[in-house]
Amino acid sequence: MEHLTKLRQLLQKEKIEALLVTNPVNVAYLSGFTGTAGMLLITEQDAWLLTDFRYLEQAEAQAPAFTVTDTAGDGWKQVTQLLGRAAVSSLAVEADHLTVKDFTALGAACRALTLREMESPVKVLRRIKSKAEIDAIAKAQALTDEAFAHLLKLMKAGMTETEIALEAEFFLRRRGAGGMSFAMIVASGARSALPHGVASQKKLVPGDAVVLDFGCVVDGYCSDMTRTVFVGDVSDRQRQVYDAVLAAQKNALEQLRAGLSGREGDALARDVLQELGLADYFGHGLGHGVGREIHEAPRLSPAAGDVILEPGMVVTVEPGVYFTAEFGIRIEDMVVITADGNRNLTHSPKELFCV
Ligand code: ZN
Ligand code: ZN
C-alpha cells in the first residue's frame, strides 16, 4: 500500500495518467502478488490486478489494495475496457520489460489511447528501501552469515564445488529461506579468476583460492555476500592480494555515504587498488543495489557518475582482483546507505581462512 501511494505521487509528478506494470518483480513490489501471470493497471483513482482464473484466489488474498480482474484470456481487451471507463487518453508501459510482440498487440487493442514507452517508474521507487524491506534483506543476510560459518566447518580438499553449493542451499532452505538469490558461485583454483564461476564438479585441491558468492531470499528480498577462503595453505602472493582487496573494501566501507555519486563510491576502493598496482585486475564495478532482484539500481562503477547515493539504498561493496588462469579474490558486504555513512548488514568475519 505504501509503495502504491508513493508510485501515485510519482505518476502525478511525471504527468502519467495510467501505468501498465507487466514486470512481475514490480507487480510483487507494488501489490504483494507473487503469481507468475498478472499485471497491474494503475490510474490516479483505480488500481487493478489483472490475472487469470488460476490466480484469482491468490490475488485476492495477496493484493488487498487492488481490484482483482479476470483477464478471461484477453488481457489487452480488458486493459482497453477498464481504461475506457476511467476516461484516460494515454497509457505508460514498461519499455524495459514489455516485449515488442505484446506492445504491438496492446497498441492494436487500445487504438484510442496513446502508448508512452518509458523505463519503469517503479524501478526508481525500488532504489530506496523501506524499513520492512531492509529488515527482510538483513534477515536474509543473517542466514547467509550462518551458512558461511557452516561451510567453513565442512569445506576441505577433495569436496566438489557443487557439494559446497548444495550444502549451503540445504542449510539455508532448512532455516526458512525461500530460495537462493542466484545459482551459488563456488569458484576454486584457476576458476576463482572467473568473476561469475557457478559451482562445477571441480574438486578443491590444496593451494586453491575459493570464491564463495551467494545469498538467499527472505520475504521476497535477496542477500548477497562473497568470501574467499584458501584450501590447506596460502601463498605469499595470495595473501598479499587478499590484504589488498580487503584494504580496498575497508576504505570504501569507511567512507561510503549519501551524496556521493556511483563513480565516487567505486573510486573509494579502486584508488586503493590503483596505488597497489592492481586496478587493472579489478574489471567490474564496486557494487550494485540489492532488493527483490539480486542486481538492481543503483550501480557503483566508473560509469555511474550520474547516480547519487541516498539514504535507504542497499548496495554491495565488492572489490575483486582476478589473474586469468591463476586465481581471483573478491570480498563482498552489503550495506544500507544512511545520512552520514552506511550500516553494514554483513557480519561474516573477513580474516584470511584456510580450510
Ligand atoms: Zn555476490
Ligand atoms: Zn554482488
Side-chain angles (χ1 to χ4, degrees), residues 182 185 195-196 212-215 223-227 288 290 294-295 316 318 330 332-333:
F182 53 92
I185 291 170
H196 278 178
L212 303 162
D213 186 351
F214 66 114
S223 62
D224 190 10
M225 170 178 85
T226 307
R227 290 293 181 266
H288 53 86
V290 179
I294 187 62
H295 293 128
T316 65
E318 50 179 309
R330 178 166 70 254
E332 175 180 27
D333 286 1

Side-chain angles (χ1 to χ4, degrees), residues 237 270 273 277-284 320-324 329:
R237 178 148 170 76
R270 197 168 301 276
L273 292 173
L278 292 168
D280 287 348
Y281 305 95
F282 176 25
H284 54 75
V321 166
Y322 312 91
F323 299 113
T324 307
I329 286 165

